[in-house]
Amino acid sequence: MDYGNESPNAKTISPDEQDKKTLILLLILAGTETLSAQSPPQSKVEIFAGADFHYRDIFYRKVYEVLLNLTPGIKWNIGKQWMLAVQGIVPLYNDYGDRYKRIRLNMAVLSKEWDWNQKQFVKISGGLFGEERYGLDIKWMYPVNRWLAVDAQLGLTGFCSMAVDWECSKMQRVSGQAGMNIYLEKVNTEFRLHGGRYLYEDYGVIAEAMRHFRHCTVGVYAQYSDKGKENGGFKVVMMIPPYKRKTHKVMVRPASNFRLTYNIQALPYAVKTYTTDPEENEREGNFDRQRLQWGPTEWNRILGPRKEATDEKVYSSVCNLPDDVYRGDKYASGTTIYKYERTDSCAVGRYGSGRGSTYRSTLPEQRVYA
């Protein structure tokens, strides 16, 4: 089955020509202007290490074949939403053959994020990506409301591998996808539907359903492509402690998550995408969650410890609440909604049915949730 014209035996580009292309990518990113007026985070360096685990059951002579790698990496948060991320691969156990036995560079990415009043989010990345790709990538997301968001991704990449030698192809493969995400906050469940042109020139669609827990996400997916046909499986994303980190100039920690994807048909090339962050996963998404307050991470903030409320206002009855406090949704006792916190009794309907309910309002920059 033909999944494209690229392979490990792709045409080799000279190191000088490759260095020029890499420099051009960095200059394109460096020449962009900052469009967000928010204050930049404190610069810091994060040193982390995780594990890359692969297994397959496609041969009769072996029940399973296993590939286990150590994946150390460094992230440098330069400031103003700039980040430089580098990750290597150190093989620990290998049943997959000689191609996977060498210590090598896996990712080296320079990225920049923008947001417009925390309503639209854009991320541009350039460098060496996952799945042995290099090039340019752009991601966009627009949260329409608290339960619906639309997003898109577009990439121009080429093949680049250091497994055997310096192997590269021209940066001419165009791939991308677009779709929507639906998040049901009351049951902390998310549905996703995306379609597009994928890494090996196949056209397909993928539907996912994920249940988010406090530090874990479990989901199932089904996909179809014109070359791989029907397929499906399940995904598990486990967040690794410490879950809350203090800001230091240099931080040493484990990888933020461990993710497992099971592919029923064991199709390695159908509906395939690359990653632009060493710790990218389906739970946290592609953007800074301190800015993008949508989805399961927003739920974790609601459940987390609350800060002291300031500028307190007490309403003797729910019927006295202004429209901007109560939005017509159904809230349970103790639920935090943006700047306001309900502290007793439940409410159903436009203004609720409880009596003597107490609400506290806080300043926008001092929200009641952590």
PDB file of all heavy atoms in Angstrom, residues 291-316:
ATOM      1  N   ARG A 291      -3.769  30.712  29.723  1.00  0.00           N
ATOM      2  CA  ARG A 291      -4.460  31.697  28.898  1.00  0.00           C
ATOM      3  C   ARG A 291      -5.737  31.116  28.304  1.00  0.00           C
ATOM      4  O   ARG A 291      -6.773  31.769  28.298  1.00  0.00           O
ATOM      5  CB  ARG A 291      -3.531  32.187  27.777  1.00  0.00           C
ATOM      6  CG  ARG A 291      -2.332  32.981  28.280  1.00  0.00           C
ATOM      7  CD  ARG A 291      -1.317  33.197  27.157  1.00  0.00           C
ATOM      8  NE  ARG A 291      -0.196  33.998  27.631  1.00  0.00           N
ATOM      9  CZ  ARG A 291      -0.024  35.280  27.331  1.00  0.00           C
ATOM     10  NH1 ARG A 291      -0.908  35.907  26.589  1.00  0.00           N
ATOM     11  NH2 ARG A 291       1.022  35.942  27.782  1.00  0.00           N
ATOM     12  N   LEU A 292      -5.642  29.894  27.789  1.00  0.00           N
ATOM     13  CA  LEU A 292      -6.799  29.249  27.181  1.00  0.00           C
ATOM     14  C   LEU A 292      -7.605  28.544  28.269  1.00  0.00           C
ATOM     15  O   LEU A 292      -7.320  27.417  28.639  1.00  0.00           O
ATOM     16  CB  LEU A 292      -6.355  28.252  26.118  1.00  0.00           C
ATOM     17  CG  LEU A 292      -7.454  27.445  25.434  1.00  0.00           C
ATOM     18  CD1 LEU A 292      -8.482  28.358  24.791  1.00  0.00           C
ATOM     19  CD2 LEU A 292      -6.868  26.482  24.426  1.00  0.00           C
ATOM     20  N   GLN A 293      -8.612  29.195  28.789  1.00  0.00           N
ATOM     21  CA  GLN A 293      -9.412  28.646  29.881  1.00  0.00           C
ATOM     22  C   GLN A 293     -10.656  27.972  29.306  1.00  0.00           C
ATOM     23  O   GLN A 293     -11.772  28.495  29.365  1.00  0.00           O
ATOM     24  CB  GLN A 293      -9.764  29.752  30.866  1.00  0.00           C
ATOM     25  CG  GLN A 293      -8.529  30.355  31.504  1.00  0.00           C
ATOM     26  CD  GLN A 293      -8.853  31.485  32.450  1.00  0.00           C
ATOM     27  OE1 GLN A 293     -10.006  31.734  32.766  1.00  0.00           O
ATOM     28  NE2 GLN A 293      -7.825  32.202  32.891  1.00  0.00           N
ATOM     29  N   TRP A 294     -10.434  26.801  28.738  1.00  0.00           N
ATOM     30  CA  TRP A 294     -11.514  26.035  28.118  1.00  0.00           C
ATOM     31  C   TRP A 294     -11.187  24.558  28.235  1.00  0.00           C
ATOM     32  O   TRP A 294     -10.042  24.143  28.029  1.00  0.00           O
ATOM     33  CB  TRP A 294     -11.662  26.424  26.644  1.00  0.00           C
ATOM     34  CG  TRP A 294     -12.881  25.840  25.972  1.00  0.00           C
ATOM     35  CD1 TRP A 294     -14.098  26.425  25.845  1.00  0.00           C
ATOM     36  CD2 TRP A 294     -12.978  24.564  25.339  1.00  0.00           C
ATOM     37  NE1 TRP A 294     -14.961  25.586  25.174  1.00  0.00           N
ATOM     38  CE2 TRP A 294     -14.306  24.429  24.852  1.00  0.00           C
ATOM     39  CE3 TRP A 294     -12.103  23.494  25.144  1.00  0.00           C
ATOM     40  CZ2 TRP A 294     -14.753  23.288  24.182  1.00  0.00           C
ATOM     41  CZ3 TRP A 294     -12.544  22.370  24.489  1.00  0.00           C
ATOM     42  CH2 TRP A 294     -13.857  22.273  24.002  1.00  0.00           C
ATOM     43  N   GLY A 295     -12.195  23.737  28.571  1.00  0.00           N
ATOM     44  CA  GLY A 295     -12.002  22.303  28.584  1.00  0.00           C
ATOM     45  C   GLY A 295     -11.607  21.740  29.936  1.00  0.00           C
ATOM     46  O   GLY A 295     -11.859  22.349  30.979  1.00  0.00           O
ATOM     47  N   PRO A 296     -10.963  20.580  29.950  1.00  0.00           N
ATOM     48  CA  PRO A 296     -10.709  19.859  31.205  1.00  0.00           C
ATOM     49  C   PRO A 296      -9.780  20.577  32.165  1.00  0.00           C
ATOM     50  O   PRO A 296      -9.890  20.401  33.376  1.00  0.00           O
ATOM     51  CB  PRO A 296     -10.092  18.531  30.739  1.00  0.00           C
ATOM     52  CG  PRO A 296      -9.522  18.837  29.388  1.00  0.00           C
ATOM     53  CD  PRO A 296     -10.469  19.829  28.788  1.00  0.00           C
ATOM     54  N   THR A 297      -8.851  21.380  31.673  1.00  0.00           N
ATOM     55  CA  THR A 297      -7.961  22.098  32.579  1.00  0.00           C
ATOM     56  C   THR A 297      -8.723  23.164  33.352  1.00  0.00           C
ATOM     57  O   THR A 297      -8.458  23.423  34.522  1.00  0.00           O
ATOM     58  CB  THR A 297      -6.801  22.732  31.801  1.00  0.00           C
ATOM     59  OG1 THR A 297      -6.180  21.726  31.010  1.00  0.00           O
ATOM     60  CG2 THR A 297      -5.766  23.307  32.748  1.00  0.00           C
ATOM     61  N   GLU A 298      -9.710  23.784  32.706  1.00  0.00           N
ATOM     62  CA  GLU A 298     -10.579  24.732  33.407  1.00  0.00           C
ATOM     63  C   GLU A 298     -11.347  24.022  34.521  1.00  0.00           C
ATOM     64  O   GLU A 298     -11.526  24.547  35.614  1.00  0.00           O
ATOM     65  CB  GLU A 298     -11.548  25.360  32.407  1.00  0.00           C
ATOM     66  CG  GLU A 298     -12.666  26.188  33.033  1.00  0.00           C
ATOM     67  CD  GLU A 298     -12.156  27.480  33.612  1.00  0.00           C
ATOM     68  OE1 GLU A 298     -10.970  27.790  33.449  1.00  0.00           O
ATOM     69  OE2 GLU A 298     -12.949  28.188  34.253  1.00  0.00           O
ATOM     70  N   TRP A 299     -11.780  22.799  34.279  1.00  0.00           N
ATOM     71  CA  TRP A 299     -12.479  22.006  35.301  1.00  0.00           C
ATOM     72  C   TRP A 299     -11.578  21.767  36.509  1.00  0.00           C
ATOM     73  O   TRP A 299     -12.001  21.850  37.657  1.00  0.00           O
ATOM     74  CB  TRP A 299     -12.921  20.690  34.686  1.00  0.00           C
ATOM     75  CG  TRP A 299     -13.521  19.704  35.646  1.00  0.00           C
ATOM     76  CD1 TRP A 299     -12.859  18.757  36.371  1.00  0.00           C
ATOM     77  CD2 TRP A 299     -14.900  19.563  35.989  1.00  0.00           C
ATOM     78  NE1 TRP A 299     -13.743  18.042  37.128  1.00  0.00           N
ATOM     79  CE2 TRP A 299     -15.000  18.509  36.919  1.00  0.00           C
ATOM     80  CE3 TRP A 299     -16.056  20.229  35.604  1.00  0.00           C
ATOM     81  CZ2 TRP A 299     -16.210  18.097  37.454  1.00  0.00           C
ATOM     82  CZ3 TRP A 299     -17.258  19.809  36.135  1.00  0.00           C
ATOM     83  CH2 TRP A 299     -17.331  18.769  37.049  1.00  0.00           C
ATOM     84  N   ASN A 300     -10.313  21.459  36.274  1.00  0.00           N
ATOM     85  CA  ASN A 300      -9.375  21.229  37.379  1.00  0.00           C
ATOM     86  C   ASN A 300      -9.182  22.478  38.218  1.00  0.00           C
ATOM     87  O   ASN A 300      -9.001  22.400  39.434  1.00  0.00           O
ATOM     88  CB  ASN A 300      -8.024  20.750  36.825  1.00  0.00           C
ATOM     89  CG  ASN A 300      -8.072  19.283  36.430  1.00  0.00           C
ATOM     90  OD1 ASN A 300      -8.986  18.575  36.813  1.00  0.00           O
ATOM     91  ND2 ASN A 300      -7.099  18.855  35.641  1.00  0.00           N
ATOM     92  N   ARG A 301      -9.214  23.657  37.585  1.00  0.00           N
ATOM     93  CA  ARG A 301      -9.082  24.883  38.361  1.00  0.00           C
ATOM     94  C   ARG A 301     -10.293  25.078  39.269  1.00  0.00           C
ATOM     95  O   ARG A 301     -10.189  25.566  40.387  1.00  0.00           O
ATOM     96  CB  ARG A 301      -8.918  26.086  37.420  1.00  0.00           C
ATOM     97  CG  ARG A 301      -7.505  26.295  36.961  1.00  0.00           C
ATOM     98  CD  ARG A 301      -7.364  27.697  36.393  1.00  0.00           C
ATOM     99  NE  ARG A 301      -8.140  27.832  35.176  1.00  0.00           N
ATOM    100  CZ  ARG A 301      -7.655  27.596  33.957  1.00  0.00           C
ATOM    101  NH1 ARG A 301      -6.418  27.196  33.813  1.00  0.00           N
ATOM    102  NH2 ARG A 301      -8.408  27.761  32.890  1.00  0.00           N
ATOM    103  N   ILE A 302     -11.478  24.697  38.774  1.00  0.00           N
ATOM    104  CA  ILE A 302     -12.679  24.839  39.577  1.00  0.00           C
ATOM    105  C   ILE A 302     -12.615  23.930  40.798  1.00  0.00           C
ATOM    106  O   ILE A 302     -13.001  24.303  41.900  1.00  0.00           O
ATOM    107  CB  ILE A 302     -13.925  24.523  38.722  1.00  0.00           C
ATOM    108  CG1 ILE A 302     -14.114  25.603  37.668  1.00  0.00           C
ATOM    109  CG2 ILE A 302     -15.171  24.403  39.585  1.00  0.00           C
ATOM    110  CD1 ILE A 302     -15.239  25.335  36.704  1.00  0.00           C
ATOM    111  N   LEU A 303     -12.106  22.710  40.612  1.00  0.00           N
ATOM    112  CA  LEU A 303     -12.051  21.756  41.715  1.00  0.00           C
ATOM    113  C   LEU A 303     -10.907  22.029  42.670  1.00  0.00           C
ATOM    114  O   LEU A 303     -10.897  21.538  43.790  1.00  0.00           O
ATOM    115  CB  LEU A 303     -11.895  20.330  41.157  1.00  0.00           C
ATOM    116  CG  LEU A 303     -13.088  19.783  40.373  1.00  0.00           C
ATOM    117  CD1 LEU A 303     -12.785  18.376  39.905  1.00  0.00           C
ATOM    118  CD2 LEU A 303     -14.350  19.802  41.221  1.00  0.00           C
ATOM    119  N   GLY A 304      -9.933  22.808  42.236  1.00  0.00           N
ATOM    120  CA  GLY A 304      -8.747  23.046  43.044  1.00  0.00           C
ATOM    121  C   GLY A 304      -9.006  23.978  44.201  1.00  0.00           C
ATOM    122  O   GLY A 304     -10.092  24.527  44.372  1.00  0.00           O
ATOM    123  N   PRO A 305      -7.996  24.188  45.054  1.00  0.00           N
ATOM    124  CA  PRO A 305      -8.148  25.090  46.188  1.00  0.00           C
ATOM    125  C   PRO A 305      -8.444  26.509  45.753  1.00  0.00           C
ATOM    126  O   PRO A 305      -7.955  26.973  44.732  1.00  0.00           O
ATOM    127  CB  PRO A 305      -6.779  25.000  46.892  1.00  0.00           C
ATOM    128  CG  PRO A 305      -5.888  24.251  46.000  1.00  0.00           C
ATOM    129  CD  PRO A 305      -6.680  23.606  44.937  1.00  0.00           C
ATOM    130  N   ARG A 306      -9.268  27.216  46.507  1.00  0.00           N
ATOM    131  CA  ARG A 306      -9.677  28.564  46.159  1.00  0.00           C
ATOM    132  C   ARG A 306      -8.902  29.592  46.949  1.00  0.00           C
ATOM    133  O   ARG A 306      -8.565  29.370  48.111  1.00  0.00           O
ATOM    134  CB  ARG A 306     -11.176  28.732  46.425  1.00  0.00           C
ATOM    135  CG  ARG A 306     -12.017  27.784  45.584  1.00  0.00           C
ATOM    136  CD  ARG A 306     -13.464  27.898  46.002  1.00  0.00           C
ATOM    137  NE  ARG A 306     -14.258  26.979  45.189  1.00  0.00           N
ATOM    138  CZ  ARG A 306     -15.263  26.267  45.654  1.00  0.00           C
ATOM    139  NH1 ARG A 306     -15.602  26.345  46.918  1.00  0.00           N
ATOM    140  NH2 ARG A 306     -15.942  25.475  44.867  1.00  0.00           N
ATOM    141  N   LYS A 307      -8.681  30.733  46.310  1.00  0.00           N
ATOM    142  CA  LYS A 307      -8.019  31.834  46.985  1.00  0.00           C
ATOM    143  C   LYS A 307      -9.039  32.654  47.756  1.00  0.00           C
ATOM    144  O   LYS A 307     -10.244  32.555  47.544  1.00  0.00           O
ATOM    145  CB  LYS A 307      -7.299  32.714  45.956  1.00  0.00           C
ATOM    146  CG  LYS A 307      -6.219  31.982  45.181  1.00  0.00           C
ATOM    147  CD  LYS A 307      -5.603  32.896  44.166  1.00  0.00           C
ATOM    148  CE  LYS A 307      -4.549  32.154  43.348  1.00  0.00           C
ATOM    149  NZ  LYS A 307      -3.964  33.020  42.319  1.00  0.00           N
ATOM    150  N   GLU A 308      -8.534  33.475  48.646  1.00  0.00           N
ATOM    151  CA  GLU A 308      -9.422  34.331  49.415  1.00  0.00           C
ATOM    152  C   GLU A 308     -10.136  35.321  48.494  1.00  0.00           C
ATOM    153  O   GLU A 308      -9.532  35.927  47.617  1.00  0.00           O
ATOM    154  CB  GLU A 308      -8.619  35.105  50.465  1.00  0.00           C
ATOM    155  CG  GLU A 308      -8.162  34.236  51.629  1.00  0.00           C
ATOM    156  CD  GLU A 308      -9.327  33.752  52.481  1.00  0.00           C
ATOM    157  OE1 GLU A 308     -10.335  34.482  52.575  1.00  0.00           O
ATOM    158  OE2 GLU A 308      -9.247  32.655  53.035  1.00  0.00           O
ATOM    159  N   ALA A 309     -11.437  35.465  48.688  1.00  0.00           N
ATOM    160  CA  ALA A 309     -12.207  36.404  47.883  1.00  0.00           C
ATOM    161  C   ALA A 309     -11.993  37.818  48.394  1.00  0.00           C
ATOM    162  O   ALA A 309     -11.902  38.049  49.594  1.00  0.00           O
ATOM    163  CB  ALA A 309     -13.688  36.052  47.932  1.00  0.00           C
ATOM    164  N   THR A 310     -11.902  38.762  47.454  1.00  0.00           N
ATOM    165  CA  THR A 310     -11.749  40.165  47.822  1.00  0.00           C
ATOM    166  C   THR A 310     -12.912  40.948  47.249  1.00  0.00           C
ATOM    167  O   THR A 310     -13.640  40.466  46.371  1.00  0.00           O
ATOM    168  CB  THR A 310     -10.428  40.718  47.283  1.00  0.00           C
ATOM    169  OG1 THR A 310     -10.431  40.610  45.868  1.00  0.00           O
ATOM    170  CG2 THR A 310      -9.246  39.959  47.861  1.00  0.00           C
ATOM    171  N   ASP A 311     -13.081  42.192  47.723  1.00  0.00           N
ATOM    172  CA  ASP A 311     -14.189  43.017  47.268  1.00  0.00           C
ATOM    173  C   ASP A 311     -15.508  42.255  47.402  1.00  0.00           C
ATOM    174  O   ASP A 311     -16.295  42.130  46.465  1.00  0.00           O
ATOM    175  CB  ASP A 311     -13.965  43.429  45.818  1.00  0.00           C
ATOM    176  CG  ASP A 311     -14.991  44.464  45.361  1.00  0.00           C
ATOM    177  OD1 ASP A 311     -15.508  45.189  46.236  1.00  0.00           O
ATOM    178  OD2 ASP A 311     -15.286  44.508  44.158  1.00  0.00           O
ATOM    179  N   GLU A 312     -15.744  41.702  48.607  1.00  0.00           N
ATOM    180  CA  GLU A 312     -16.874  40.812  48.818  1.00  0.00           C
ATOM    181  C   GLU A 312     -18.197  41.566  48.799  1.00  0.00           C
ATOM    182  O   GLU A 312     -18.351  42.634  49.367  1.00  0.00           O
ATOM    183  CB  GLU A 312     -16.715  40.085  50.156  1.00  0.00           C
ATOM    184  CG  GLU A 312     -17.827  39.085  50.432  1.00  0.00           C
ATOM    185  CD  GLU A 312     -17.581  38.298  51.698  1.00  0.00           C
ATOM    186  OE1 GLU A 312     -16.575  37.573  51.738  1.00  0.00           O
ATOM    187  OE2 GLU A 312     -18.369  38.409  52.639  1.00  0.00           O
ATOM    188  N   LYS A 313     -19.168  40.976  48.094  1.00  0.00           N
ATOM    189  CA  LYS A 313     -20.519  41.496  48.070  1.00  0.00           C
ATOM    190  C   LYS A 313     -21.463  40.350  48.394  1.00  0.00           C
ATOM    191  O   LYS A 313     -21.343  39.275  47.829  1.00  0.00           O
ATOM    192  CB  LYS A 313     -20.863  42.074  46.698  1.00  0.00           C
ATOM    193  CG  LYS A 313     -20.019  43.270  46.301  1.00  0.00           C
ATOM    194  CD  LYS A 313     -20.405  43.760  44.922  1.00  0.00           C
ATOM    195  CE  LYS A 313     -19.531  44.937  44.509  1.00  0.00           C
ATOM    196  NZ  LYS A 313     -19.863  45.396  43.152  1.00  0.00           N
ATOM    197  N   VAL A 314     -22.410  40.567  49.304  1.00  0.00           N
ATOM    198  CA  VAL A 314     -23.330  39.526  49.721  1.00  0.00           C
ATOM    199  C   VAL A 314     -24.734  39.897  49.267  1.00  0.00           C
ATOM    200  O   VAL A 314     -25.199  41.009  49.509  1.00  0.00           O
ATOM    201  CB  VAL A 314     -23.303  39.320  51.248  1.00  0.00           C
ATOM    202  CG1 VAL A 314     -24.319  38.263  51.652  1.00  0.00           C
ATOM    203  CG2 VAL A 314     -21.914  38.923  51.699  1.00  0.00           C
ATOM    204  N   TYR A 315     -25.365  38.973  48.563  1.00  0.00           N
ATOM    205  CA  TYR A 315     -26.733  39.182  48.103  1.00  0.00           C
ATOM    206  C   TYR A 315     -27.661  38.345  48.972  1.00  0.00           C
ATOM    207  O   TYR A 315     -27.485  37.137  49.097  1.00  0.00           O
ATOM    208  CB  TYR A 315     -26.877  38.757  46.631  1.00  0.00           C
ATOM    209  CG  TYR A 315     -26.029  39.576  45.697  1.00  0.00           C
ATOM    210  CD1 TYR A 315     -24.707  39.204  45.429  1.00  0.00           C
ATOM    211  CD2 TYR A 315     -26.523  40.721  45.100  1.00  0.00           C
ATOM    212  CE1 TYR A 315     -23.927  39.953  44.582  1.00  0.00           C
ATOM    213  CE2 TYR A 315     -25.738  41.463  44.242  1.00  0.00           C
ATOM    214  CZ  TYR A 315     -24.444  41.079  43.991  1.00  0.00           C
ATOM    215  OH  TYR A 315     -23.671  41.826  43.143  1.00  0.00           O
ATOM    216  N   SER A 316     -28.663  38.976  49.574  1.00  0.00           N
ATOM    217  CA  SER A 316     -29.528  38.283  50.512  1.00  0.00           C
ATOM    218  C   SER A 316     -30.450  37.287  49.824  1.00  0.00           C
ATOM    219  O   SER A 316     -30.959  36.371  50.444  1.00  0.00           O
ATOM    220  CB  SER A 316     -30.370  39.288  51.301  1.00  0.00           C
ATOM    221  OG  SER A 316     -31.171  40.056  50.406  1.00  0.00           O
TER     222      SER A 316
END
